[in-house]
Amino acid sequence: MVQATKFGQFKGMDNIHDDIELPNDILRRAINVDVLDSGRLRRRKGSAQALAVANPHSMWSDGARAYFILADAMREFHTNGTSTSLGAFAAGANHAAYVKVGTDVFATCKTAQGRIRAGVLSPWGVEVPTSPPTLAATAGVLPAGTYQAAVTYLLADGRESGASRLASITLAADGGVATTAMPVPLNAAVTRKRLYLSTSNGEVLFMAAELLAADQFANIGSPAAGAALRTAYLSPPPAGTALAHVNGTIFIVDANNPTILWHTEAFDYDHVDTRKNYYQYGAPISVIAAVADGLYVCADNTYFLPRAGSRDAGQRVVLEFGAVAGSAAAIPNTANVIWMTERGPVIGKDSGVVELLADKRIASGNMTDAAAVVSGP
């Protein structure tokens, strides 16, 4: 006679051990179900098509807003099942990464990047002039001596680029400095440029003139009275494959050399100092994930960087293996993050405390990349 066996109080799934090793409260496979704290199984909710489009990718949402890429455009999805274009985003087939900072959303991929603010897509970072200004002597009251000059570009909202290389000129007698040529931006989003000039034999440059983006000529006959140049040696953020934000800094995995992790200047998300704002690892970085007091970086090992991006940042190994690319996500209603590894999912907490949820019970297989969705209770 066949006897019925009642199962309950399940403890999870195990796809590593042999069937004869599994107790009755462990599942071999659990597809489209959640194992609740009570041990009961709950079927996951189904799905319904909300928008019919061909070949969209790189969808992101914070629960209030949602964006995706379609035909090299960034689009916003609306809850009524429609979408609107925010502008060109030439991603091609390259998947984009997003990070939210305050009310702004930053997006990047190997071939495009942008910032979304109040539903408006604009450049993330500003093109840097590729050449210095060409200088000549003219009339004026500048004291004799050697002067240095540089050019920056500006967007319509006032964001300023890094500075061009320096040009210099020596005035043998009192006079002025004129430009006979200045670089012209390629990006139509640049609307103006600034010319900076040092004092006689000085090292600090001050704003001498603000001009239209296409202007070539300026005459400076008296000492520059504007603000000091603050963007020397700064570059726009590089193209990336993953983003995270912590300590007032955005971290970017370099799309062209994924062993390098860049970070922006503190509270200045349009600029990176490529001389120093980076960490480099012995293998490509697959995951970065931020918690309140630091950053997890998964490469050849999994590292935790307390105070990441600051002068006193540290680094230590917390796991001797990496992660599946693209698998990081924040856990709703907590300060924790989660990602997938060769040994199952890992929760990362503050202070570099990690928890393997299914160690020696779950094998993820040969996964090269993933997308993670973590739902709230």
Side-chain angles (χ1 to χ4, degrees):
M1 179 182 295
V2 177
Q3 294 183 339
T5 302
K6 185 177 181 180
F7 294 95
Q9 301 296 312
F10 289 108
K11 295 180 180 178
M13 174 179 154
D14 186 329
N15 67 355
I16 293 179
H17 294 92
D18 290 335
D19 291 346
I20 60 173
E21 299 179 84
L22 300 184
N24 288 340
D25 56 3
I26 296 293
L27 298 165
R28 165 60 73 197
R29 301 178 69 192
I31 300 175
N32 289 328
V33 296
D34 294 316
V35 181
L36 306 179
D37 290 340
S38 64
R40 293 182 177 274
L41 301 182
R42 179 178 64 189
R43 186 169 60 182
R44 290 178 179 168
K45 294 180 180 180
S47 61
Q49 187 178 74
L51 179 65
V53 292
N55 301 316
H57 65 86
S58 303
M59 191 166 197
W60 174 92
S61 176
D62 63 356
R65 297 166 296 176
Y67 305 109
F68 65 95
I69 296 169
L70 176 67
D72 280 350
M74 179 69 71
R75 301 190 68 88
E76 182 172 1
F77 173 77
H78 306 293
T79 55
N80 64 0
T82 63
S83 70
T84 54
S85 175
L86 302 183
F89 194 90
N94 298 306
H95 287 190
Y98 301 81
V99 68
K100 182 181 178 183
V101 181
T103 58
D104 293 345
V105 176
F106 296 85
T108 186
C109 70
K110 190 171 185 178
T111 54
Q113 53 195 158
R115 186 195 73 178
I116 305 170
R117 171 176 288 182
V120 176
L121 177 67
S122 66
W124 179 17
V126 188
E127 175 190 350
V128 176
T130 57
S131 60
T134 303
L135 306 179
T138 189
V141 296
L142 293 175
T146 298
Y147 290 83
Q148 299 184 83
V151 175
T152 65
Y153 294 152
L154 286 91
L155 301 180
D157 60 12
R159 285 183 285 160
E160 189 170 10
S161 75
S164 71
R165 301 190 308 276
L166 295 176
S168 66
I169 187 171
T170 299
L171 300 181
D174 292 357
V177 174
T179 63
T180 59
M182 280 191 281
V184 176
L186 298 175
N187 191 333
V190 175
T191 59
R192 291 169 292 160
K193 67 177 64 165
R194 285 176 177 167
L195 175 66
Y196 287 84
L197 190 69
S198 72
T199 56
S200 176
N201 301 316
E203 296 183 356
V204 179
L205 278 64
F206 299 90
M207 191 178 77
E210 185 168 304
L211 308 103
L212 296 177
D215 286 348
Q216 297 281 300
F217 310 111
N219 290 308
I220 310 302
S222 57
L229 174 65
R230 67 173 189 85
T231 60
Y233 309 111
L234 298 183
S235 300
T241 58
L243 298 174
H245 174 259
V246 65
N247 294 335
T249 304
I250 294 178
F251 291 82
I252 307 155
V253 177
D254 192 307
N256 295 298
N257 184 357
T259 65
I260 297 178
L261 178 66
W262 298 100
H263 65 85
T264 65
E265 295 285 276
F267 302 103
D268 180 2
Y269 306 122
D270 286 296
H271 296 117
V272 171
D273 189 334
T274 56
R275 302 171 301 170
K276 61 182 181 179
N277 288 13
Y278 67 92
Y279 302 89
Q280 188 157 17
Y281 294 87
I285 301 164
S286 55
V287 159
I288 55 175
V291 290
D293 62 354
L295 183 74
Y296 288 97
V297 179
C298 303
D300 51 339
N301 297 305
T302 296
Y303 302 85
F304 182 70
L305 283 62
R307 302 175 299 280
S310 65
R311 291 183 178 179
D312 59 346
Q315 179 172 274
R316 68 178 188 273
V317 174
V318 293
L319 293 170
E320 293 184 345
F321 48 88
V324 178
S327 63
I331 301 177
N333 305 313
T334 76
N336 303 330
V337 290
I338 188 170
W339 62 87
M340 180 61 75
T341 76
E342 62 188 28
R343 293 169 58 178
V346 171
I347 290 180
K349 305 177 182 179
D350 286 349
S351 304
V353 176
V354 294
E355 178 183 357
L356 278 72
L357 296 184
D359 189 25
K360 299 180 181 178
R361 291 197 294 115
I362 299 291
S364 62
N366 187 24
M367 299 170 64
T368 57
D369 57 31
V373 176
V374 182
S375 61

